[in-house]
Amino acid sequence: MSTLIQHGTVATARETRPADVRIEGERIAEAGPALPPRPGETVIDARGMYVMPGGVDVHTHLDMPLGDICSSDDFETGTRAAAFGGTTTIVDFATQARGTRMRDAFDTWMKKAEGRATIDYGLHMIVTDLAGGGLEDMDDIVREGVASFKLFMAYPHSLMVDDGVIFKALSQTARNGALVLMHAENGSVIDVIVARALAEGRTAPVYHALTRPPRAEGEAVHRAIALAEIAGVPVYIVHVSSEDALRQVREARDRGVPAFAETCPQYLLLSIDDLARPGFEGAKYVLTPPLRAKEHQPALWEGLRDDYLQVVATDHCPFCFKDQKALGKDDFTKIPNGGPGIENRMQLIYHHGVNTGRLTLNRFVEITSAAPARIFGMYPRKGEIMAGSDADLVIWDPGAIHTISAATHHMRVDYSMFEGFEVRGNARTVLSRGEVIVDAGRFLGSPGRGRYLKRAAHGGAWK
Ligand SMILES: [Zn+2]
C-alpha cells in the first residue's frame, strides 16, 4: 500500500522545490529529491505538475435547511464537486435550533454526512441560544472535536444574537480554547432599510445589496473585534466582502490583536453589477454579505497578499435558480441567500491570484490550505506535505485550461456564478488519505469514505 509521486514540484505554504512524495497507507512517509521507487509500488508521474496539499474549505453549507427548502448539494454531491476542484477537506456548519441543545444539532449533522461524504469533514457549531446550559454545551461539543462556534450579528428573526450572548460565547472560549466565527453585519439596521425599500416597492434582486451597506458590515466587524478584545480571546470574521470591513481587521491586526478573517472568490471577482443584471438573473448572485462595487476588490486582494486576510473559503450554499431562487421573484427578501462555489475556489484563486502575480504560489497554498488547517486545529495533519501528514494531495496542472460552466460542473445546481470564466491551472489528480479520488476528470472515490475530523482546541488563532 505504497505510492510514489515522482518528478513533480512540491509547493507548500513554506517552499517550492522539486521533490518526490512517498505515501504509505493513508499518510505521507517522506518527501525529498529523487526518491527511488520500491518494488510493487504504485508510481504516479507528476512531471510538469505542482504537488500541493489538498485544499481546505472551512466555510460550506451542505444539506442546509432554510425555511421549507434545503441547499441543493448534500454531503455526497458537494464533497465530490469539492474534490474535482482540488479540495480534500471541508468544515461545514451544524445549526443549533433555538431552545435545543447543541448535541442535537451535532447528531443531526453527523447523520447528514455519514455514508455520503467523499472527503474528510469537520463541523463548526452555529450558536443561536445560550439559555439553559448553552455554555456547558459549548464545552461538551468542543470535546467532540467541534472547536469553533459561529454567531450571527445579522438576521434578527432567525439567527441573530445580541452583544451579550456574543460576549458570553467569546468569554467561554477563554476556557475551552475554541474559536468564535462572526457573521458581521448590523442586522437590526439592515432590517429597517429593507422594510423601507419594500414599502417603496423596490423588490428587484439588486436591492439585496443596496439595503445592506458596506458600513453596516464595517460597524459589525469593529464591534465583533472590540468584544473579543474585552474578552481577551481571538476572533475570526467570516466572508469579509468590503473595504470597510477589511479596514477594521487591518486596524486591529496592526495593533497586535488576534483578529483573523476570510474572504471568498465571489467578493474578489464578482460585483453588484452582477446583481443588477436584467430580469431576475441577479437572483443567482444573492448571497450575504452582498456583492459590492468593484472598487472594493483591489483592497481585498491586497489584504490577502499582506496577511490582513488569512483564508479564502467559499461559503458554498447553492440554491437552484429555477425552483429555489424563484421563490423571491416578486420580493428580493424571499430569494434564498447563497451561491455555489465549492468546486471552483482553487481554480479561481490560482488563476486570478497566482497567474496575475497578485499572489505567490506559496501564498496561494497558505490561504487555501495551510492557514485554514492551522487556524481550525487540523495542522499539520491537513494543509502540509511532511512525514506523518495525511496524504491529501492535489497534483496541479498549471497549464490546464478550463472554462467554468454549469454544463460541466459537478455541483448539484443549475447555474454557475462564474459561467464562462476561463482559468489556467486545474487539479489533475486528487488524493485523499492516499486514495486517488479524482484523476483526469473522472471520480474514483466513493460516498461514505470521507471521515469526520475531530479538531483540536487552541488552534493556530491562539498562538
Ligand atoms: Zn455561511
Side-chain angles (χ1 to χ4, degrees):
M1 279 297 284
S2 148
T3 303
L4 184 66
I5 302 173
Q6 270 192 320
H7 310 309
T9 300
V10 165
T12 66
R14 292 174 291 111
E15 59 176 6
T16 308
R17 61 172 176 139
D20 299 341
V21 180
R22 176 168 283 122
I23 298 163
E24 275 166 15
E26 301 191 335
R27 302 202 167 185
I28 294 168
E30 56 180 330
L35 300 180
R38 293 173 182 162
E41 197 165 55
T42 307
V43 173
I44 298 175
D45 186 357
R47 211 176 298 263
M49 307 280 149
Y50 291 125
V51 181
M52 307 188 292
V56 178
D57 187 348
V58 291
H59 193 155
T60 67
H61 298 280
L62 302 175
D63 202 356
M64 188 197 79
L66 182 72
D68 299 331
I69 61 172
C70 246
S71 61
S72 59
D73 267 319
D74 63 17
F75 276 80
E76 182 179 339
T77 62
T79 57
R80 192 174 57 208
F84 271 105
T87 289
T88 52
T89 300
I90 59 164
V91 186
D92 206 271
F93 293 85
T95 308
Q96 175 208 22
R98 281 216 172 111
T100 68
R101 307 306 295 256
M102 292 179 202
R103 182 157 290 274
D104 301 337
F106 177 70
D107 292 343
T108 301
W109 259 264
M110 288 295 275
K111 280 198 201 87
K112 286 174 188 276
E114 204 187 300
R116 294 196 181 87
T118 68
I119 58 173
D120 293 351
Y121 55 94
L123 292 171
H124 310 284
M125 179 65 63
I126 292 174
V127 175
T128 57
D129 181 4
L130 281 180
L135 295 176
E136 296 89 85
D137 274 16
M138 285 178 72
D139 296 351
D140 175 42
I141 225 72
V142 169
R143 285 189 288 271
E144 293 289 355
V146 177
S148 41
F149 298 90
K150 183 184 185 187
L151 290 92
F152 284 78
M153 302 168 101
Y155 306 122
H157 303 291
S158 53
L159 297 165
M160 189 171 109
V161 289
D162 65 26
D163 292 351
V165 169
I166 294 168
F167 184 65
K168 280 185 196 162
L170 284 162
S171 302
Q172 195 70 8
T173 66
R175 302 156 53 108
N176 61 33
L179 178 64
V180 167
L181 286 63
M182 296 301 312
H183 176 125
E185 280 185 302
N186 188 318
S188 306
V189 168
I190 286 168
D191 259 22
V192 173
I193 303 172
V194 167
R196 279 185 200 152
L198 289 179
E200 290 163 3
R202 303 178 198 278
T203 59
V206 71
Y207 289 101
H208 175 67
L210 298 175
T211 54
R212 308 181 85 90
R215 291 300 291 142
E217 187 186 12
E219 183 279 324
V221 170
H222 177 85
R223 187 159 32 108
I225 294 174
L227 297 177
E229 280 186 80
I230 299 168
V233 299
V235 66
Y236 179 96
I237 311 295
V238 293
H239 49 46
V240 165
S241 71
S242 66
E243 198 171 0
D244 303 63
L246 175 62
R247 198 178 298 127
Q248 299 302 324
V249 177
R250 207 156 52 198
E251 185 271 339
R253 287 183 67 85
D254 282 344
R255 286 190 291 114
V257 173
F260 299 82
E262 78 182 18
T263 189
C264 313
Q266 54 270 30
Y267 303 119
L268 295 161
L269 299 168
L270 303 174
S271 76
I272 193 169
D273 300 347
D274 293 297
L275 264 167
R277 289 183 187 214
F280 191 58
E281 196 70 8
K284 293 176 176 176
Y285 304 91
V286 168
L287 39 88
T288 307
L291 299 177
R292 307 298 189 183
K294 274 197 180 72
E295 287 67 32
H296 291 265
Q297 293 172 358
L300 295 178
W301 282 109
E302 282 163 30
L304 281 173
R305 183 194 62 199
D306 299 338
D307 203 38
Y308 289 114
L309 297 169
Q310 291 73 41
V311 173
V312 175
T314 58
D315 197 6
H316 176 76
C317 191
F319 294 103
C320 289
F321 183 63
K322 256 199 197 118
D323 56 341
Q324 295 186 307
K325 290 284 188 180
L327 294 169
K329 240 184 165 22
D330 307 310
D331 176 352
F332 71 91
T333 65
K334 298 201 164 67
I335 301 170
N337 282 206
I342 200 167
E343 184 169 352
N344 306 124
R345 179 181 66 125
M346 307 280 279
Q347 301 159 348
L348 290 167
I349 301 305
Y350 183 87
H351 182 77
H352 292 276
V354 180
N355 287 348
T356 59
R358 286 177 176 129
L359 303 171
T360 66
L361 181 60
N362 307 105
R363 186 66 189 160
F364 166 75
V365 178
E366 170 80 11
I367 62 179
T368 58
S369 179
R374 215 180 299 118
I375 290 169
F376 290 98
M378 299 178 277
Y379 185 88
R381 185 171 166 193
K382 306 295 189 188
E384 184 56 276
I385 298 183
M386 58 162 64
S389 295
D390 281 356
D392 284 12
L393 296 164
V394 51
I395 300 176
W396 188 263
D397 182 351
I401 307 269
H402 174 66
T403 303
I404 294 171
S405 172
T408 52
H409 73 200
H410 302 88
M411 299 177 285
R412 189 163 65 191
V413 62
D414 59 358
Y415 76 96
S416 171
M417 291 196 291
F418 304 99
E419 185 69 39
F421 275 52
E422 190 179 89
V423 292
R424 182 162 46 82
N426 201 359
R428 188 200 72 182
T429 308
V430 179
L431 295 92
S432 165
R433 278 182 283 100
E435 185 184 340
V436 174
I437 57 169
V438 170
D439 189 47
R442 282 172 308 144
F443 188 72
L444 304 171
S446 53
R449 67 165 300 289
R451 283 196 206 133
Y452 172 65
L453 284 165
K454 263 192 152 178
R455 295 180 295 115
H458 291 110
W462 287 88
K463 290 178 179 113

